[in-house]
Amino acid sequence: MWRWRRPVLVAAREGPGGLVVPRAGLKKYQQPPDYSGIVFPEKTKLKFMDKVPSVPKVRREPRRLWDIRGPSREATDFIQGQYGILALGGGYLHWGHMEMIRLTIGRNMDPKTMFAIWRVPPPSKPLTRKSLGHRMGGGKGPIDSYVTPVKCGRLVVEVGGRCEFGEVEPFLAQVAHKLPFPAAAVSREGLERLRQEEEEKRLNNQNPWTFERVVVGNMLGMRKYLSPYDLRLKGRYWGKFFLKHRV
Amino acid sequence: MAALRGGGGAPWRRGWLPALQLVRRSSKAVTRHWKAMHFQRQKLMAVTEYLPPRPAIPPCCLPRAEETRQEDDGYARLLRRQVEEAFRENRMIAVCQYNSMPGEDVVMMRHYLRKHNIEVKFFLNEIVRPVLSQSKYKNLLPLFVGRNVLLVSRETKAKEMLRVLKGVPQINLLGACIDDTILSRKGVENFARLPPLEAAQGQTAGALALLPSQTSSLLQRSSAYLTALLDRHIQHLQAAETGSPAEPSPPQSSSDR
């Protein structure tokens, strides 16, 4: 609804000859992005994930919390899509999270021009829970739900197609905020830049004493207070958390 | 308290683990909450923090490195080509200050100028300035500041242009380049007052031919003067003779010498 509004005063900056009002120069036309190398999967929307695997597990499994700990080795790079959600911490994704992801992304994307693919498997790790209100003891509880372990640095979903990061980022960030671990929406270039920055930080660190150096040399007997896994984790991970500011 | 792990099997077959494993509480390695670190570990983390590089001169004090110019896009190149063409092909190029005019006034002005084969061209300063600075029209650069418009023509009809511009108060002539000669506003007015080329040529030819045409009369002038003097003298004598009849006839003048 058009209404008369007082005209907004143009932002004038101080120049050599008094106040200088910026003027529009030549319009620089951007080349439209090139979507030639995009391959669409058959189903553009996210697949429905089962709550329980088709062959439910009978044997109750130990907790194995090391599947959350440390950096991820699988699904760290983009496969088909251009944008995705990167996990910046470890955690378990259960069916509720996956439904939220599927529905939010399905609601916000255009299936004709965009596609989304899962980069995490359906829940397969059984979690047990004892019934409420009982005392300790009596054996391990029955299987309650299934979850998918996700380590830090892993991609959860990938989105691609004829779209820009600006149109995808809002709902990816919305989804990333709702995940049980810290996550962020990234693009291919963004991920590349993150890795480069990390590398640069590592190279131009002015501190001669690094965690890695101390652990490998067991300086001052530090390994008494550290875990053998710290040789691999190098002080960047603590439990399921990822310490971004380190090295 | 520290728990000592019992040694079972040969030492070289066991996995390498520290001899002492400090187990104070039974909190696992991976917890939902932030597990409290041992104080020694906290100290180690504090000592091994990242220290960013600190150059002797902070980058904000150094002169800012000019960011690399974006690649020339085709549109800018096209406009530059058009500017070069305009300067090459037209004999008269007038630069005028352009204040905002109503649209129809612009159209009427263009129409009147078009009748005299003068075109009105709008070019962006940021395109024109680099083109001029590299061509021979360097001295026109001070004119291309602020809003301006170019009136170009293949003929040099300055008088008609000035007449049209007089009727348009929002366009002020700043300067012109006519036949590779830079003229100011006064110069253009003087140029307009000059007679047209053919008349000027005729005048020059006439002025040049004036002297040769006078050569014959110059040469004949002295003898003609003598003839005239003698004729006057004859008349004078004849007048005197009629006064006194007996007069000898004067000697015949020889005009061919």
Side-chain angles (χ1 to χ4, degrees):
Chain A
M1 180 60 208
W2 181 86
R3 289 199 73 173
W4 185 85
R5 298 241 178 252
R6 192 168 298 282
V8 176
L9 293 169
V10 182
R13 57 177 175 84
E14 201 46 51
L19 283 175
V20 173
V21 178
R23 272 188 43 227
L26 182 66
K27 183 165 171 73
K28 290 180 180 61
Y29 292 99
Q30 302 282 344
Q31 291 281 355
D34 180 30
Y35 295 130
S36 51
I38 309 262
V39 176
F40 274 68
E42 304 90 37
K43 298 257 171 84
T44 49
K45 288 200 162 187
L46 284 170
K47 192 171 63 128
F48 173 76
M49 297 283 212
D50 291 317
K51 211 169 185 178
V52 170
S54 40
V55 181
K57 296 202 172 131
V58 179
R59 183 85 208 271
R60 284 163 292 186
E61 288 174 358
R63 227 155 292 235
R64 290 200 203 106
L65 291 172
W66 43 259
D67 51 13
I68 307 293
R69 193 180 192 189
S72 173
R73 289 219 194 160
E74 48 177 359
T76 44
D77 286 310
F78 284 90
I79 281 186
Q80 250 187 308
Q82 291 123 36
Y83 321 106
I85 298 181
L86 183 76
L88 297 168
Y92 289 125
L93 284 177
H94 56 68
W95 184 76
H97 295 128
M98 295 187 168
E99 278 298 282
M100 179 272 292
I101 296 172
R102 188 177 71 87
L103 293 171
T104 311
I105 292 185
R107 198 172 40 238
N108 288 299
M109 76 176 212
D110 179 10
K112 294 195 200 101
T113 52
M114 301 195 245
F115 64 88
I117 46 173
W118 287 110
R119 293 306 300 278
V120 291
S124 57
K125 175 174 175 168
L127 284 191
T128 61
R129 174 155 282 142
K130 288 185 86 64
S131 27
L132 201 54
H134 286 258
R135 296 205 173 181
M136 291 283 106
K140 196 163 161 82
I143 291 176
D144 177 57
S145 56
Y146 289 80
V147 293
T148 318
V150 169
K151 283 196 186 187
C152 170
R154 190 194 177 125
L155 288 166
V156 178
V157 281
E158 257 181 57
V159 177
R162 289 182 210 102
C163 50
E164 310 247 320
F165 190 45
E167 36 183 318
V168 165
E169 198 195 352
F171 61 84
L172 283 188
Q174 188 189 354
V175 167
H177 187 68
K178 289 185 176 178
L179 293 175
F181 40 80
V186 291
S187 59
R188 281 194 198 234
E189 299 84 25
L191 191 61
E192 204 46 57
R193 212 177 326 127
L194 270 172
R195 297 220 172 116
Q196 263 171 16
E197 273 165 15
E198 221 172 291
E199 189 60 31
E200 270 167 30
K201 262 181 91 169
R202 197 175 65 80
L203 289 171
N204 69 15
N205 187 9
Q206 299 300 303
N207 194 348
W209 309 111
T210 53
F211 193 96
E212 189 184 350
R213 191 177 162 197
V214 171
V215 169
V216 165
N218 192 12
M219 296 181 173
L220 292 177
M222 271 293 129
R223 289 190 66 177
K224 186 174 167 189
Y225 311 103
L226 303 174
S227 156
Y229 292 96
D230 283 313
L231 272 168
R232 230 184 293 158
L233 305 175
K234 294 172 192 161
R236 303 197 73 203
Y237 300 89
W238 179 237
K240 64 171 184 170
F241 303 103
F242 171 57
L243 311 169
K244 254 198 304 202
H245 55 276
R246 298 274 315 163
V247 151
Chain B
M1 300 314 287
L4 291 170
R5 190 182 50 77
W12 58 88
R13 294 187 62 139
R14 291 193 297 250
W16 195 102
L17 281 172
L20 278 174
Q21 284 173 356
L22 293 167
V23 176
R24 209 179 164 91
R25 283 182 220 90
S26 60
S27 175
K28 295 194 162 78
V30 179
T31 51
R32 286 180 211 201
H33 61 274
W34 176 271
K35 187 167 147 188
M37 290 185 186
H38 195 281
F39 189 57
Q40 292 282 32
R41 194 191 164 109
Q42 283 180 43
K43 286 198 278 191
L44 177 64
M45 301 288 265
V47 163
T48 55
E49 263 170 11
Y50 169 68
L51 287 178
R54 281 192 68 187
I57 306 171
C60 56
C61 297
L62 289 169
R64 195 155 46 156
E66 199 52 49
E67 54 195 47
T68 52
R69 262 195 63 189
Q70 286 146 1
E71 72 219 18
D72 264 349
D73 59 342
Y75 188 47
R77 257 182 285 139
L78 171 77
L79 291 174
R80 255 178 263 135
R81 242 201 330 258
Q82 283 181 347
V83 171
E84 280 159 19
E85 202 189 298
F87 271 89
R88 205 176 39 225
E89 313 248 331
N90 299 297
R91 281 176 62 194
M92 174 171 86
I93 304 147
V95 185
C96 308
Q97 183 205 22
Y98 173 80
N99 298 304
S100 24
M101 273 161 72
E104 53 257 21
D105 286 357
V106 177
V107 171
M108 290 308 291
M109 183 194 80
R110 283 183 108 137
H111 168 70
Y112 287 131
L113 286 171
R114 204 77 184 78
K115 281 197 175 158
H116 300 301
N117 261 335
I118 302 176
E119 283 170 8
V120 176
K121 290 214 190 272
F122 291 90
F123 288 122
L124 285 172
N125 283 346
E126 67 179 87
I127 306 269
V128 168
R129 289 188 76 98
V131 171
L132 288 193
S133 56
Q134 262 125 43
S135 69
K136 58 182 177 175
Y137 300 100
K138 277 194 262 294
N139 291 323
L140 281 175
L141 274 178
L143 293 177
F144 288 93
V145 168
R147 299 201 68 178
N148 51 40
V149 70
L150 243 59
L151 306 178
V152 299
S153 164
R154 288 184 194 228
E155 302 120 28
T156 54
K157 290 192 182 163
K159 200 175 354 189
E160 285 85 358
M161 181 180 80
L162 283 175
R163 200 178 310 135
V164 172
L165 290 185
K166 201 161 68 157
V168 180
Q170 291 101 342
I171 305 255
N172 305 313
L173 181 66
L174 298 174
C177 177
I178 302 180
D179 285 333
D180 289 346
T181 320
I182 296 182
L183 299 167
S184 69
R185 197 205 165 89
K186 277 265 171 58
V188 174
E189 282 164 13
N190 293 341
F191 179 80
R193 260 182 250 124
L194 285 175
L197 190 64
E198 294 78 18
Q201 278 172 351
Q203 272 181 6
T204 325
L208 288 171
L210 190 63
L211 286 173
S213 63
Q214 281 180 346
T215 317
S216 63
S217 55
L218 264 176
L219 289 171
Q220 286 178 354
R221 200 171 44 178
S222 44
S223 46
Y225 185 53
L226 183 63
T227 320
L229 273 178
L230 290 169
D231 281 340
R232 279 282 309 274
H233 188 64
I234 292 169
Q235 282 169 16
H236 182 72
L237 288 172
Q238 278 177 351
E241 191 181 301
T242 49
S244 55
E247 272 280 347
S249 58
Q252 286 294 321
S253 65
S254 59
S255 58
D256 338 277
R257 282 199 212 153

